[in-house]
Amino acid sequence: QVQLVESGGGSVQAGGSLRLSCAASGYTNSRFCTGWFRQAPGKKREEVAILCPRGGSTYYADSVKGRFTASQVGGKNMLSLQMVSLKPEDTAMYYCASDPSYQALIEGTPTYWGQGTQVTVSS
């Protein structure tokens, strides 16, 4: 029943910004935790941000802290990831994932995943 669909990816020059969106259906976002992950070819999957509104828990990777902001649009089952001051090393496929458990997201084992959206940052 749970579906996640990412959008908002694209190509941008270094220093630019993008906003990714994750549209969720089949559950109420306020009751689920959502994580953003990214993976570049030949590299390990990396946790980017985790938002768990009900528990008030948040997490940001050191590499994006201060530049990326995860938030929830209340009443719309929509999550967003605002990315500013983008760097070439931010280039990756970005995935939205969700699970009722914050711990599952921390461990990188959420139950539900989106299909991903590509972000490319040129120098």
Side-chain angles (χ1 to χ4, degrees):
Q1 293 182 349
V2 176
Q3 293 182 332
L4 303 171
V5 181
E6 302 96 333
S7 62
S11 299
V12 65
Q13 290 187 333
S17 63
L18 286 171
R19 173 172 283 183
L20 306 183
S21 296
C22 176
S25 63
Y27 68 92
T28 302
N29 285 349
S30 62
R31 297 182 181 273
F32 275 63
C33 299
T34 300
W36 293 91
F37 299 81
R38 67 185 183 186
Q39 187 169 27
K43 297 183 179 180
K44 296 180 179 179
R45 187 178 64 196
E46 177 186 15
E47 294 182 355
V48 176
I50 299 171
L51 177 65
C52 195
R54 186 171 67 171
S57 300
T58 59
Y59 165 83
Y60 292 97
D62 289 341
S63 59
V64 307
K65 204 166 189 176
R67 299 188 298 117
F68 290 12
T69 303
S71 61
Q72 181 185 47
V73 180
K76 295 185 177 181
N77 291 330
M78 181 76 73
L79 285 300
S80 70
L81 183 68
Q82 179 67 46
M83 307 183 293
V84 300
S85 301
L86 284 163
K87 306 174 181 179
E89 50 263 45
D90 294 320
T91 296
M93 184 73 74
Y94 284 71
Y95 298 90
C96 176
S98 186
D99 196 282
S101 172
Y102 177 78
Q103 186 65 31
L105 288 163
I106 289 292
E107 296 175 350
T109 59
T111 303
Y112 306 104
W113 292 84
Q115 81 289 345
T117 185
Q118 179 68 39
V119 172
T120 302
V121 184
S122 302
S123 61

